Amino acid sequence: MSAVPESPAGRLFDGGWLAPVGVTGAFSCTPKFERVVSWLEAVLTVADPAGSPGPQVFPPLMSRMVIERAEYAAAFPHLLGTVGTYPGGPGDADTVLMPAVCYGVYQELADTTVDGSRQFDVTGYCHRHEATSELGRFRTFRMREFVLVADAPAALRWRDDWIDRGRHLFSRLGLPVKVEPASDPFFGPGSDLLRDSQIGQSLKWEFVVPLTGEGPGTAIASANSHKDHLGKRFGIRYRDAGPAHSSCVAFGLERIVLAMIHAHGDDPAAWPEPV
């Protein structure tokens, strides 16, 4: 009788990377895992040509009003985590769990006029109520994002530069990524045409690589053009040219570490240079 194959999560437990916490889609990260995360954060800081001193850290909570203004709550209520109180308490709070770190940037600039391009380097824990136990579909995870708010040509050029930079970065890490067009929830309800044409307009590109030996791969990062959608939603203007345009590049820290483990094995000391 053939042996039962080890599960992807079980392999990570045995390798000393993760530990179960009794919640589907959530794990405890060991010191071994966290050492790689810390190294990865430093690599991303160096990769930013703007000379970032390091990321601004946002808390995992944000105002419910912010996420409603972004139209995320209306479009993806099944993914959004809300903060409430224990039965018998005062009821729901006015906060939600942050689904993407970059929303903190748009709130910071809300109802202002930017005079020239503004770039941000941000990180923090995010939450999405994933309905699957697939490895990498974490309910809570860390995201490192670089965000640009500018005029239309500068925002698109910046996004395209990061696509090339991402290819080079992942190649140096020994990760065989495929860069593929995709769609995402930035365009809210009533914007079906924008969502349906997102791939056709090449607004979002994902860096896809295997995390396990099964399936077509998982997105470990993305490069996104939001056009002026979030500028309109948050009242951000660019000089006298109307709503500002924005772009972001997002790196899923846990997913990148999982991809590196899958590609290079359980011993970081044996990973190839310059990894």
Side-chain angles (χ1 to χ4, degrees):
M1 185 174 66
S2 60
V4 176
E6 184 180 26
S7 71
R11 177 180 176 273
L12 293 164
F13 299 156
D14 293 342
W17 295 101
L18 301 174
V21 294
V23 177
T24 301
F27 301 95
S28 171
C29 297
T30 67
K32 181 181 179 180
F33 194 99
E34 288 304 297
R35 283 193 292 270
V36 179
V37 170
S38 296
W39 172 85
L40 178 58
E41 288 270 32
V43 168
L44 292 173
T45 297
V46 173
D48 176 24
S52 169
Q56 176 181 356
V57 180
F58 281 109
L61 300 179
M62 67 186 316
S63 167
R64 184 192 299 268
M65 293 177 61
V66 172
I67 213 65
E68 289 175 350
R69 187 171 188 178
E71 297 184 325
Y72 187 98
F76 290 85
H78 59 291
L79 295 180
L80 186 62
T82 60
V83 178
T85 57
Y86 200 74
D92 289 341
D94 59 354
T95 53
V96 298
L97 299 174
M98 183 177 286
V101 183
C102 62
Y103 285 125
V105 170
Y106 311 125
Q107 169 60 18
E108 193 171 300
L109 296 178
D111 304 312
T112 67
T113 298
V114 295
D115 186 17
S117 298
R118 295 282 305 277
Q119 181 172 318
F120 299 81
D121 176 2
V122 296
T123 192
Y125 271 95
C126 301
H127 174 90
R128 293 175 194 169
H129 196 68
E130 296 281 3
T132 175
S133 59
E134 174 190 346
L135 186 67
R137 297 288 176 186
F138 297 108
R139 288 187 184 183
T140 181
F141 55 92
R142 283 165 287 187
M143 188 74 73
R144 178 76 176 269
E145 296 196 44
F146 298 96
V147 183
L148 186 78
V149 178
D151 62 2
L156 186 59
R157 183 170 58 250
W158 181 91
R159 193 282 310 266
D160 290 345
D161 287 346
W162 264 109
I163 293 175
D164 292 337
R165 192 173 299 114
R167 283 194 180 100
H168 178 68
L169 172 64
F170 289 126
S171 176
R172 287 198 301 111
L173 299 183
L175 297 179
V177 297
K178 296 181 293 182
V179 183
E180 302 177 348
S183 61
D184 67 10
F186 276 111
F187 302 111
S191 301
D192 291 338
L193 181 61
L194 284 174
R195 288 199 302 273
D196 292 344
S197 64
Q198 189 176 19
I199 292 178
Q201 295 183 69
S202 299
L203 299 184
K204 180 181 182 73
W205 294 86
E206 290 183 337
F207 298 84
V208 178
V209 67
L211 303 188
T212 69
E214 303 174 353
T218 301
I220 59 173
S222 64
N224 311 277
S225 167
H226 314 138
K227 304 185 80 170
D228 63 356
H229 177 75
L230 293 169
K232 289 178 178 177
R233 291 303 307 158
F234 284 92
I236 307 169
R237 298 185 60 82
Y238 182 82
R239 294 178 177 168
D240 59 355
H245 285 236
S246 63
S247 295
C248 77
V249 56
F251 296 89
L253 299 183
E254 285 89 355
R255 285 187 181 182
I256 295 174
V257 176
L258 293 182
M260 293 173 66
I261 296 168
H262 178 67
H264 304 308
D266 285 326
D267 183 6
W271 291 356
E273 294 292 344
V275 177

